[in-house]
Amino acid sequence: DMGDAMQRFACVPTFASDAFFKDRDRVRAAMTIRNPLDSSKRFDETFVPDPDKKYFVHADLAQKHDKCAVAIAHVDKWVNIQVIKDYNQVVPIVVVDAVAWWEPKVEGPVNLSEVKQWIQNLRRQGFNIGIVSFDRWQSFDIQQELQAVGMRTDTVSVAKKHYEDLAMLVYEERVAMPHIPLLLEEMSELRITDNGKRVDHPRKKSKDLADAVCGAVFNAISHTPKDLNPEIEIYTKPISRLAEQREDMLKLDSKKIPDDV
């Protein structure tokens, strides 16, 4: 953990001590694709789902105060990477395809029927939907209605363990997310609370989009069958970045303490 080492051993603070994502630049670097939705939450005509892929959805429901957010993700491929010498590990490359959100208005709360209809329409857009999951808040009725039209549903309460999986993907550059300023803000402001047991947002902030993305990524990894014969992939970017950071540490070590200190 480069940021933690810089703070504890070199006395160079690079992040808030309770921040969940220690490196905001890594989070920003993972947001490499465009969100294919317009202001009316309609998909761009150029966006075509891959018929050979299975897509997974997670909805973070809210009505009165928070946003209601829905994210779609899929496993692009499984790759075999060399962790250490003579030891390989099969890991997923994940794409977060789209994020939609609804905000409560002065005239009334979020219409959850509109959210449900938007999710139902995903199949008309060409998405092969694997599972649609919801947080626990007021999701029973929507799950029942989606099941009635043949969609599989589940309940997923996004917790710290799910965010830790997402953080691993971010740090190892194995996830591509839409570049959404609000999503970047939410993920950058996540904090570790409750003596390290929870990941939460600061007071008067939110993490609705972040929860939706985290849940969708978890679904994709959990329910996409692992390829037993994946392509061999060697990651050079994270390795080269660590080398650069070690060089920075050596430069710090070479500096002499001034005589007047």
Side-chain angles (χ1 to χ4, degrees), residues 20 52 73 163 174 188 198:
F20 178 73
D52 297 325
Y163 270 108
R174 293 191 285 110
S188 301
R198 295 178 58 214

Side-chain angles (χ1 to χ4, degrees), residues 16 37 55 90 101 112 135 146 153 163 177 206-207 213 216 242:
L37 300 172
Y55 295 83
V90 178
W101 65 96
L112 294 183
D135 58 356
L146 291 178
T153 67
Y163 270 108
M177 298 181 285
S206 65
K207 62 182 181 75
V213 167
L242 288 174

Side-chain angles (χ1 to χ4, degrees), residues 3 54 65 70 76 79 81 92 100 108 146 156 164 184 186 189-190 204 226 236 248 252:
K54 188 161 285 190
H65 304 294
V70 180
D76 184 56
V79 295
I81 63 172
L146 291 178
V156 174
E164 288 173 342
L184 175 61
E186 287 188 1
E189 293 179 345
L190 290 173
K204 295 185 178 181
K226 187 176 293 186
T236 57
D248 292 338
L252 283 174

Side-chain angles (χ1 to χ4, degrees), residues 110-171:
V110 173
N111 184 355
L112 294 183
S113 294
E114 180 183 340
V115 178
K116 179 198 68 177
Q117 190 62 49
W118 189 87
I119 294 173
Q120 285 182 343
N121 288 339
L122 291 176
R123 289 196 299 193
R124 298 178 185 175
Q125 297 287 337
F127 286 95
N128 179 11
I129 301 296
I131 283 180
V132 182
S133 66
F134 297 85
D135 58 356
R136 296 181 184 275
W137 190 88
Q138 200 172 334
S139 65
F140 179 78
D141 291 340
I142 294 183
Q143 288 196 45
Q144 291 288 96
E145 294 176 24
L146 291 178
Q147 289 171 12
V149 296
M151 300 184 82
R152 292 177 60 195
T153 67
D154 196 5
T155 300
V156 174
S157 295
V158 175
K160 185 184 178 185
K161 61 181 181 180
H162 303 111
Y163 270 108
E164 288 173 342
D165 289 343
L166 177 60
M168 182 69 72
L169 294 175
V170 169
Y171 292 143

Side-chain angles (χ1 to χ4, degrees), residues 32 62 86 169-170 183 235:
T32 57
D86 299 327
L169 294 175
V170 169
L183 177 61
Y235 283 103

